């Protein structure tokens, strides 16, 4: 996990496989960060780690013939392209020959939607324009839309025809990050798998907006102004795996979250505390991020993280003075930039034996009030598979 480095990096085991970038940042201080790269998998699928799409990489499956999300503008001669492309194409858009079902109308400062969109369109890219409204007639000629990307526009709820997507039964990706929406759009297609609405002005979800989205696996709502999630608003999301609620206005962890969640992000909220049952029912939760949330040790119940499924826990940049108790199954624990003053082995192991030890591989304690000399002599028996400690 990329983060600022404050102290000494102790490498306990051989470095993990993969590329790393290391640099000297002070007297005897070394930190290593993974080098981000695009990897072409054996199954011919790849991903674009592009923050424009809500901060979660967009997977592209080449076997399915999914097109690149990169703009075509400036990469071809428009006159030559239109002369050699026999298919009709809106004047202000590009219709690639190699992806006849894709329509690129992005990065063109458009204020109005293109007219007469080809009926064959399945992938429609409209990001980085100045579009403020969507009417039902916009997609009247299209019934097989798979992706609709509207990031970085000026969309507002009162200028959005709520029935615009009613007939798009094949739509699986809907991206409207970085707009001016005040609530989650209603009447969304039942087949949606990803809904990305990060960095809008959303203050409410509504009881009807998500109720039929039983196929949705990813919901991004970070960077909005949500204060609460009411009972029933997420009830229909029975297959949701990733929910990002970071950078909102929550004072407590919202209740009534889908039990199917594997990844829950709540960083950059002002949480008053965590009680014993705060994550009760999230029986599949593996990744939990609560950094920059003003958490204090006195307001975190000792059993708050009693989740046997938990693999990654991020509590960095809070006000913790002691290490909270975590399950022995935890593998990656981030506690940098807190106010921790002691290293307590019982936080990781209630008892130590042949089978009762922590599975922790990465522990970050840099930026706290502990140093390597504060580690008790018996810590190695508990953290016997640890690979890296930052302290």
């Amino acid at each position: 996990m990329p983060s600022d480095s404050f102290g000494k990096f102790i490498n306990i085991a051989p470095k993990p496989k993969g590329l790393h970038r290391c640099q000297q940042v002070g007297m005897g201080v070394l930190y290593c960060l993974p080098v981000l790269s695009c990897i072409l998998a054996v199954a011919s699928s790849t991903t674009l780690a592009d923050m424009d799409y809500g901060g979660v990489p967009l997977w592209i499956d080449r076997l399915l013939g999914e097109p690149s999300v990169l703009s075509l503008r400036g990469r071809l001669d428009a006159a030559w392209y239109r002369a050699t492309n026999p298919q009709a194409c809106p004047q202000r858009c590009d219709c690639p020959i190699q992806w006849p079902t894709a329509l690129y109308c992005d990065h063109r400062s458009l204020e109005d939607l293109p007219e007469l969109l080809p009926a064959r369109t399945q992938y429609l890219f409209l990001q980085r324009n100045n579009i403020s409204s969507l009417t039902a007639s916009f997609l009247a000629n299209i019934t097989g839309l798979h992706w609709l990307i509207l990031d970085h526009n000026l969309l507002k709820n009162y200028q959005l025809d709520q029935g615009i997507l009613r007939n798009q039964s094949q739509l699986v990706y809907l991206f409207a990050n970085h707009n001016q929406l005040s609530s989650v759009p209603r009447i969304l297609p039942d087949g949606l798998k990803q809904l990305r609405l990060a960095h809008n002005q959303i203050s409410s979800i509504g009881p009807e907006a998500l109720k039929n989205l039983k196929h949705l696996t990813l919901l991004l709502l970070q960077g909005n102004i949500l204060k609460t999630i009411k009972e029933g608003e997420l009830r229909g999301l029975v297959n949701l795996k990733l929910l990002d609620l970071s950078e909102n206005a929550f004072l407590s962890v919202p209740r009534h979250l889908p039990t199917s969640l594997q990844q829950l992000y709540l960083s950059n909220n002002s949480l008053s505390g965590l009680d014993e049952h705060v994550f009760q029912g999230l029986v599949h939760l593996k990744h939990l991020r609560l950094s920059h949330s003003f958490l204090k040790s006195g307001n975190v119940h000792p059993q708050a993280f009693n989740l046997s499924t938990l693999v990654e826990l991020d509590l960095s940049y809070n006000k913790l003075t002691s290490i909270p108790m975590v399950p022995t199954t935890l593998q990656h624990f981030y506690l940098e930039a807190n106010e921790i003053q002691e290293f307590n082995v019982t936080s990781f192991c209630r008892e130590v034996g042949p089978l009762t030890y922590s599975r922790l591989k990465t522990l970050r304690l840099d930026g706290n009030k502990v140093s390597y000399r504060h580690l008790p002599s018996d810590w190695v028996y508990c953290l016997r598979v640890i690979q890296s400690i930052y302290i």
Side-chain angles (χ1 to χ4, degrees):
M1 172 181 173
S3 183
D4 295 333
S5 183
F6 295 88
K8 188 174 182 181
F9 167 58
I10 306 170
N11 200 4
I12 306 299
K15 293 180 181 179
K17 295 180 180 179
L19 297 174
H20 286 73
R21 179 185 293 121
C22 300
Q23 76 180 67
Q24 201 79 16
V25 296
M27 205 58 152
V29 179
L30 179 72
Y31 75 93
C32 298
L33 295 175
V35 177
L36 296 179
S37 60
C38 275
I39 300 172
L40 185 63
V42 176
S44 299
S45 64
T46 188
T47 180
L48 276 81
D50 191 334
M51 296 304 289
D52 280 354
Y53 299 96
V56 176
L58 173 60
W59 288 94
I60 296 172
D61 195 328
R62 300 301 185 202
L63 294 179
L64 293 179
E66 293 176 344
S68 169
V69 296
L70 299 178
S71 176
L72 292 181
R73 195 170 193 188
R75 295 161 56 192
L76 51 86
D77 181 85
W80 172 87
Y81 207 73
R82 291 185 179 279
T84 56
N85 189 349
Q87 298 177 330
C89 186
Q91 187 63 37
R92 295 179 291 177
C93 304
D94 293 323
C95 304
I97 298 173
Q98 65 272 37
W99 288 306
T101 58
L103 183 61
Y104 291 84
C105 309
D106 57 297
H107 293 76
R108 284 159 170 80
S109 300
L110 300 178
E111 295 183 3
D112 300 315
L113 294 165
E115 297 179 356
L116 301 176
L117 299 181
R120 65 180 182 273
T121 304
Q122 295 179 357
Y123 304 89
L124 180 53
F125 302 100
L126 286 163
Q127 66 268 29
R128 291 198 177 273
N129 283 295
N130 297 316
I131 299 170
S132 59
S133 63
L134 296 178
T135 61
S137 60
F138 162 52
L139 297 175
N141 193 42
I142 301 174
T143 58
L145 197 62
H146 294 344
W147 295 7
L148 177 57
I149 299 184
L150 292 158
D151 292 357
H152 291 277
N153 276 283
L154 304 173
L155 293 176
K156 301 178 178 66
N157 282 83
Y158 70 88
Q159 292 179 295
L160 186 66
D161 191 320
Q162 296 294 338
I164 187 173
L165 300 175
R166 189 189 306 271
N167 298 322
Q168 300 302 324
S169 59
Q170 298 184 46
L171 189 67
V172 291
Y173 287 177
L174 175 58
F175 297 1
N177 303 300
H178 296 278
N179 278 278
Q180 299 176 17
L181 299 174
S182 57
S183 62
V184 175
R186 294 183 291 109
I187 316 181
L188 296 171
D190 295 355
L192 271 186
K193 293 183 179 179
Q194 292 193 13
L195 178 58
R196 305 191 185 208
L197 300 172
H199 303 287
N200 278 274
Q201 300 168 15
I202 295 174
S203 60
S204 63
I205 294 177
E208 304 295 322
L210 305 174
K211 68 174 185 178
N212 295 322
L213 304 188
K214 62 181 179 180
H215 300 291
L216 199 71
T217 60
L218 182 147
L219 176 59
L220 303 187
L221 289 168
Q222 71 269 29
N224 284 286
I225 51 176
L226 286 166
K227 294 182 179 179
T228 184
I229 293 178
K230 298 178 181 178
E231 184 176 4
E233 289 185 326
L234 303 182
R235 183 177 297 162
L237 307 183
V238 294
N239 285 301
L240 193 66
K241 300 295 189 294
L242 190 157
L243 175 61
D244 196 338
L245 298 172
S246 304
E247 301 176 60
N248 274 280
F250 291 105
L251 298 178
S252 60
V253 176
R255 308 288 180 169
H256 321 298
L257 298 179
T259 58
S260 58
L261 278 181
Q262 295 181 7
Q263 302 178 59
L264 175 60
Y265 303 156
L266 275 161
S267 298
N268 292 92
N269 283 284
S270 300
L271 303 181
S272 58
L274 303 175
D275 62 38
E276 181 180 5
H277 306 294
V278 63
F279 301 113
Q280 187 176 24
L282 301 182
V283 295
H284 302 288
L285 192 62
K286 296 181 179 180
H287 305 271
L288 177 59
R289 298 181 182 176
L290 296 164
S291 65
H292 296 273
S293 295
F294 299 94
L295 291 173
K296 299 179 180 179
S297 291
N299 297 329
V300 176
H301 193 278
Q303 298 297 319
F305 304 113
N306 186 24
L307 300 167
S308 61
T309 56
L310 209 57
V311 172
E312 178 197 32
L313 177 59
D314 183 3
L315 297 175
S316 60
Y317 294 88
N318 280 292
K319 304 290 184 182
L320 301 174
T321 55
S322 60
I323 301 174
M325 295 177 62
V326 293
T328 57
T329 54
L330 193 68
Q331 297 182 24
H332 307 283
F333 196 9
Y334 305 104
L335 282 163
E336 65 267 29
N338 276 277
E339 300 172 3
I340 296 170
Q341 303 176 19
E342 62 176 347
F343 188 99
N344 194 338
V345 174
T346 57
S347 296
F348 309 96
C349 299
R350 262 57 76 194
E351 59 182 62
V352 179
L355 298 177
T356 54
Y357 60 90
S358 172
R359 273 62 176 178
L360 205 63
K361 296 178 180 179
T362 305
L363 175 61
R364 294 204 60 163
L365 282 166
D366 41 329
N368 283 282
K369 299 178 181 179
V370 293
S371 63
Y372 182 68
R373 67 177 181 273
H374 290 120
L375 297 180
S377 58
D378 59 347
W379 73 273
V380 293
Y381 299 106
C382 171
L383 305 181
R384 63 182 67 172
V385 298
I386 195 76
Q387 295 179 356
S388 299
I389 298 179
Y390 299 75
I391 197 167

